[in-house]
């Protein structure tokens, strides 16, 4: 069983920075990709950034130039560096991983979510 554990959320002032981490624990065969989503109450969960085995593949328009997604290839960990944060970035951020647990079995997993609040 694979679990995703997130960390790094919190309260920050506008213009500040946070770095989210997501680590996959358990046994798996290989990664396909990892992504960060965010959700505010009453709205859909939206993809913020995604990274595949060859590097970043997507950024939400409003975060381009401010957020950077990366992976630690030596470890099953993904990061989301968030700079120049605004109150509109306030949300629960969720890590998502798409991976093979065996050579033939593909699954998608979610983390528990971490709150990011941008406020003065």
């Amino acid at each position: 069983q694979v679990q995703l554990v997130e960390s790094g959320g919190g309260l920050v002032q506008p213009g500040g920075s946070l770095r989210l981490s997501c680590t996959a624990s358990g046994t798996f065969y290989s990664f396909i990709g990892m992504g960060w989503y965010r959700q505010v109450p009453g709205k859909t969960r939206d993809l913020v950034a995604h990274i595949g085995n060859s590097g970043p593949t997507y950024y939400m328009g409003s975060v381009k130039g401010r957020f950077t997604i990366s992976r630690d290839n030596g470890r099953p960990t993904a990061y989301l560096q968030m700079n120049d944060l605004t109150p509109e970035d306030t949300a629960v951020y969720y890590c998502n991983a798409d991976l093979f647990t065996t050579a033939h079995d593909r699954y998608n997993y979610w983390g528990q979510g971490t709150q990011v609040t941008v406020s003065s």
Side-chain angles (χ1 to χ4, degrees):
Q1 181 72 15
V2 174
Q3 289 186 322
L4 302 182
V5 179
E6 302 156 353
S7 63
L11 173 65
V12 64
Q13 291 186 342
S17 298
L18 284 174
R19 188 192 196 205
L20 305 182
S21 298
C22 173
T23 298
S25 64
T27 302
F28 49 88
Y29 184 75
S30 67
F31 274 107
I32 300 169
M34 296 184 80
W36 287 96
Y37 289 71
R38 69 187 185 188
Q39 187 172 25
V40 297
K43 294 193 175 182
T44 59
R45 187 174 296 186
D46 298 325
L47 178 62
V48 176
H50 181 271
I51 186 166
N53 285 322
S54 299
T57 62
Y58 174 83
Y59 287 102
M60 174 188 286
S62 64
V63 309
K64 284 182 180 178
R66 300 188 298 122
F67 290 12
T68 302
I69 188 170
S70 61
R71 276 180 57 187
D72 185 338
N73 288 327
R75 299 171 57 213
T77 299
Y79 306 96
L80 186 68
Q81 177 67 42
M82 305 185 294
N83 298 328
D84 194 21
L85 285 160
T86 73
E88 289 69 36
D89 296 314
T90 296
V92 178
Y93 284 70
Y94 295 90
C95 176
N96 178 273
D98 193 14
L99 51 84
F100 282 99
T101 55
T102 71
H104 307 288
D105 298 317
R106 180 176 178 173
Y107 289 94
N108 190 268
Y109 294 92
W110 289 96
Q112 79 283 2
T114 185
Q115 177 70 46
V116 171
T117 302
V118 185
S119 176
S120 55

